[in-house]
Amino acid sequence: MKASPFLGPLLVLPALGVILLLFVWPLLYSLVGAFVTGEGWGLGNFAKTVELYRSDILFTFLIVGLSTLLIAVFAVAIGGYLVLGSNPRAQAILRWLYRWPLFIPFIVAGQLMRTFLAKNGLLNGMLVEAGLLTPLQTLSFLDWRGIVIAFVWKQTPFVALLVAGAMAGLDRSMFEAARNLGASRLRILVEIVVPQVMQTLLVGLILSFVIMLSVLSVPLMINAQTPTMITANMAFRINAYGDYGVANALGVISYLMAGAVAWIYLRYAVRERMEQR
Amino acid sequence: MPSEAFLDIDRVAVRYGSTPVLHDLSLAVGRGELVALLGSSGCGKTTLLRTIAGFLSPTSGRLRIGERDITRLAPDRRDMAMVFQSYALWPHMSVAQNIGYGLKLRRLDRAAIRAKVEDLLAMLGLAGLGERNVTALSGGQRQRVALGRALAVDPEILLLDEPLSNLDARIRQTVRHEIRALQRRLGITAIHVTHDREEAMVMADRIVILDAGRIAQAGPPERIYNQPASPFVADFMGADNSVTLEADLDGASVVIAAGADHAAARLARDLLPTANTLPGQGTFSLRAFFRGEAAALVAADEAVTGDETEALLLTGRVLAVSYPGGVWRHEVAIGERHFLVDDATCHAPGDAVAVRLPARHLFLFPADGTTKPRGG
């Protein structure tokens, strides 16, 4: 039976339609919308955005950037312990435990962190009970620190899962060869293991960066003050003022941030590929 | 056997969980000696090497280098360097970085590292490849980089874990000799794990045959080959044809009665390589092991009188003949069994022939329970 030359495109069409309709169209719409002001085309929305939300944009970038760095450190530490650790029981427990936050939605993570990090929360309660703090010295962590803790707690398992998988795929005798020559575990992790899983680590971190950039629930729940993250500002512009122009401009700025890290990754990937040749 | 042990393995036992892998194994290796650990997969040879390297801890027993007890020392404190079967080169580093890594760990300055790496590259025939990525090298070159990385730290003992098994046959032949020559030149002590009989024969000063976690036999290659200590060793070293015989033993000779598939023979004990494994007196069932290439074919009617003191004759019939080059290869049916025997003259299929097994190449062992299972 000879397939019709139109069959292939026809089969692709539904998927393509969904992407065009639900992704490309809204993306273009919001991109264009960022440049539409009350007086026609212009950069008015961006001027207003910079004037009102300059510190929030910086805040967002720093929070997400810091979280990404911490996620990298924890994910590498978890993956490293799973491949290089010497205590099989501790490894088994860690392997079982570390994935749990993956199954918890951001909004639940936010709620957990509220009860954990508040001035009268579980963390301070434990510190007081342990005699490390007096009740008068307790501080609420429900500010930028709370957001970072929630993000790192929620996203580390995701990156650790990818990284640990890549590490487990490496030839174990590569670690033994290094140990045989006198490298400590930490050096093996930093000099032998991490460089070989760098691609996977970067992919995980970029995906995390983009996900964290788009989370609304956590900043709303944990950080009800200014400066805050631009997702909260976007929601506010739309809900309080119906101001889609500034919200779109904030959206474009977060595209740019996501685009910048993707660009860094692509440059790295291309360079890697050139070196492999 | 070296008079003075340099590496002394003293009644070492190793288990994986509850499974014993090495049973109170003792072995002494002399300084500058190349010892091959030979055995089929699962015999414990790699376990022994990894125990020596310090990647596994023995449950009992001691390891010593000279006077120094190294049983509980970390792998890098033992003055040993290992070459891995997979080479275990680090693909994100250049050739020079791979070789120089151990020196970097020892905090040598850059110039000293570069000089040492250049020396090694030249010695290993890799000059000019220092900046190359290891993934861009051929198998033989990678193998030499792995060797260079191990030699860079000037180890007292070089551990080789099947270093040639990933090379194709032609390169393997030359690399064998290269490694052997290098080891001689540097005077380094080496322990070489392999499952390749010929590789062990060509490279080693001494071969240690392991079977199920125990040493089946240890000795120079020619002794292992010509005087196997057990049916297992005989079989493993290529004497994998065997027949069962009934024999009367006395102090000086082994008298074999004529059977359905063999002629009578009276072989002097001092002609038999394995005479010391035979009981002194009495009637016994024996198993004779021989190599196909040690046998010769004679036409059934050409048997020489008096030959029965020199050789055992198995009587049979030629089933098929082929010419692999140099000699004719005959498939000969003897009783229920078929043997491949090479001979310079061609015997036609259907001919009655005798397979002549010279006493010097006949390995006789008691056929009772002391026979070890094949493989292992």
Side-chain angles (χ1 to χ4, degrees):
Chain A
M1 193 182 92
K2 195 172 171 349
S4 150
F6 300 109
L7 191 63
L10 206 67
L11 287 172
V12 175
L13 214 56
L16 194 66
V18 167
I19 289 176
L20 286 175
L21 227 75
L22 299 183
F23 183 71
V24 177
W25 171 247
L27 179 73
L28 287 176
Y29 190 83
S30 62
L31 265 177
V32 171
F35 295 92
V36 176
T37 64
E39 298 87 46
W41 297 95
L43 293 172
N45 294 325
F46 286 93
K48 202 165 166 189
T49 302
V50 170
E51 183 194 328
L52 290 172
Y53 298 118
R54 197 170 33 212
S55 57
D56 292 26
I57 292 166
L58 189 64
F59 180 82
T60 302
F61 185 74
L62 291 177
I63 291 265
V64 176
L66 175 64
S67 302
T68 305
L69 286 180
L70 291 174
I71 290 167
V73 170
F74 286 120
V76 165
I78 291 173
Y81 190 76
L82 291 180
V83 287
L84 297 173
S86 55
N87 183 336
R89 187 164 301 166
Q91 284 175 315
I93 293 172
L94 180 63
R95 189 170 290 125
W96 184 68
L97 276 182
Y98 86 89
R99 301 170 203 220
W100 281 29
L102 269 181
F103 302 98
I104 293 172
F106 266 109
I107 192 155
V108 180
Q111 179 60 24
L112 288 174
M113 287 303 150
R114 269 188 81 84
T115 53
F116 183 66
L117 299 172
K119 188 163 164 58
N120 299 316
L122 186 60
L123 179 63
N124 280 321
M126 289 196 301
L127 291 175
V128 170
E129 283 297 315
L132 296 170
L133 288 179
T134 66
L136 287 177
Q137 288 172 311
T138 56
L139 287 171
S140 168
F141 292 98
L142 295 178
D143 50 21
W144 65 272
R145 290 171 296 187
I147 302 181
V148 170
I149 292 170
F151 278 171
V152 171
W153 185 79
K154 174 75 181 85
Q155 282 306 111
T156 295
F158 169 70
V159 180
L161 193 71
L162 293 176
V163 166
M167 287 179 180
L170 297 175
D171 177 5
R172 292 194 64 83
S173 53
M174 285 200 274
F175 315 151
E176 287 178 345
R179 216 172 117 213
N180 184 232
L181 293 174
S184 65
R185 272 174 225 274
L186 187 65
R187 276 196 95 142
I188 296 174
L189 183 62
V190 173
E191 293 181 351
I192 307 293
V193 180
V194 171
Q196 296 189 59
V197 299
M198 204 46 144
Q199 286 258 17
T200 312
L201 178 64
L202 281 178
V203 170
L205 291 178
I206 286 161
L207 292 176
S208 284
F209 186 93
V210 173
I211 289 168
M212 292 187 293
L213 209 53
S214 66
V215 171
L216 173 64
S217 54
V218 171
L220 280 185
M221 293 173 80
I222 292 182
N223 183 58
Q225 57 205 331
T226 52
T228 188
M229 291 184 61
I230 54 178
T231 45
N233 300 141
M234 283 153 86
F236 178 73
R237 286 319 294 183
I238 292 168
N239 294 335
Y241 297 107
D243 181 1
Y244 283 90
V246 170
N248 283 337
L250 283 166
V252 170
I253 286 167
S254 68
Y255 290 148
L256 291 177
M257 284 192 213
V261 288
W263 179 71
I264 293 171
Y265 166 70
L266 283 176
R267 264 184 54 136
Y268 174 84
V270 168
R271 209 182 60 208
E272 278 285 283
R273 207 157 302 159
M274 299 301 275
E275 275 176 19
Q276 297 283 318
R277 295 246 164 100
Chain B
M1 186 69 68
S3 54
E4 189 183 327
F6 175 53
L7 171 67
D8 184 25
I9 301 162
D10 183 13
R11 283 164 295 161
V12 160
V14 177
R15 336 175 126 256
Y16 284 135
S18 59
T19 316
V21 183
L22 298 180
H23 306 270
D24 292 345
L25 189 146
S26 295
L27 178 67
V29 179
R31 189 185 281 274
E33 196 182 18
L34 195 160
V35 169
L37 303 178
L38 179 63
S40 41
S41 55
C43 70
K45 58 190 190 297
T46 296
T47 302
L48 178 56
L49 192 77
R50 293 172 60 81
T51 308
I52 297 170
F55 293 124
L56 293 171
S57 297
T59 47
S60 66
R62 293 256 152 261
L63 288 163
R64 275 181 290 269
I65 295 182
E67 295 299 303
R68 202 155 60 102
D69 188 323
I70 59 160
T71 315
R72 303 282 159 211
L73 276 186
D76 58 300
R77 311 290 297 278
R78 300 183 173 208
D79 284 331
M80 298 179 183
M82 185 149 161
V83 176
F84 292 81
Q85 183 174 9
S86 62
Y87 312 142
L89 298 177
W90 304 303
H92 58 292
M93 295 186 193
S94 68
V95 170
Q97 284 171 326
N98 266 280
I99 295 179
Y101 190 71
L103 302 172
K104 191 174 125 190
L105 292 174
R106 280 159 182 69
R107 295 167 194 275
L108 263 67
D109 62 70
R110 275 158 191 264
I113 294 177
R114 193 177 312 143
K116 177 91 189 179
V117 169
E118 287 301 325
D119 284 353
L120 282 163
L121 288 174
M123 183 173 83
L124 295 165
L126 293 168
L129 297 180
E131 295 315 307
R132 196 75 78 79
N133 197 303
V134 288
T135 50
L137 299 180
S138 70
Q141 289 171 326
R142 285 182 204 201
Q143 207 278 336
R144 278 180 274 167
V145 174
L147 194 62
R149 182 176 67 182
L151 291 174
V153 297
D154 288 325
E156 298 230 53
I157 299 177
L158 186 64
L159 305 174
L160 303 159
D161 184 9
E162 309 220 11
L164 308 181
S165 60
N166 283 334
L167 296 176
D168 62 53
R170 202 167 45 84
I171 298 175
R172 207 180 302 163
Q173 302 281 348
T174 50
V175 176
R176 265 179 202 170
H177 293 282
E178 283 172 13
I179 292 183
R180 177 60 172 153
L182 199 63
Q183 182 265 340
R184 282 251 171 85
R185 186 141 56 89
L186 300 174
I188 195 169
T189 309
I191 299 175
H192 175 197
V193 160
T194 180
H195 61 265
D196 184 327
R197 195 174 73 214
E198 193 185 314
E199 185 178 305
M201 294 287 295
V202 171
M203 289 177 70
D205 293 308
R206 199 147 59 95
I207 293 178
V208 175
I209 294 190
L210 292 177
D211 176 28
R214 292 187 174 84
I215 293 179
Q217 190 175 358
E222 65 279 10
R223 173 140 24 106
I224 302 266
Y225 191 83
N226 293 321
Q227 281 175 272
S230 67
F232 173 83
V233 176
D235 183 50
F236 192 83
M237 294 307 290
D240 48 6
N241 303 302
S242 71
V243 287
T244 309
L245 309 164
E246 297 300 321
D248 280 321
L249 275 66
D250 62 35
S253 55
V254 175
V255 181
I256 297 163
D261 53 7
H262 60 268
R266 184 182 188 89
L267 305 172
R269 274 189 184 248
D270 40 2
L271 285 178
L272 293 167
T274 60
N276 57 351
T277 66
L278 296 174
Q281 301 242 324
T283 303
F284 294 93
S285 189
L286 299 181
R287 203 154 179 80
F289 291 78
F290 61 95
R291 295 189 175 89
E293 64 264 29
L297 283 186
V298 283
D301 48 6
E302 283 176 11
V304 184
T305 35
D307 196 34
E308 71 270 13
T309 60
E310 300 280 330
L312 176 68
L313 293 178
L314 307 179
T315 49
R317 194 165 287 280
V318 175
L319 290 180
V321 190
S322 61
Y323 188 70
V327 288
W328 294 90
R329 182 155 297 165
H330 303 81
E331 188 183 357
V332 182
I334 295 167
E336 296 290 298
R337 310 187 54 180
H338 295 180
F339 297 97
L340 288 177
V341 182
D342 293 346
D343 198 66
T345 45
C346 176
H347 299 264
D351 282 3
V353 288
V355 176
R356 182 177 185 275
L357 304 172
R360 280 182 302 114
H361 298 299
L362 198 57
F363 307 132
L364 294 177
F365 298 99
D368 55 26
T370 57
T371 307
K372 293 204 175 147
R374 290 174 64 130

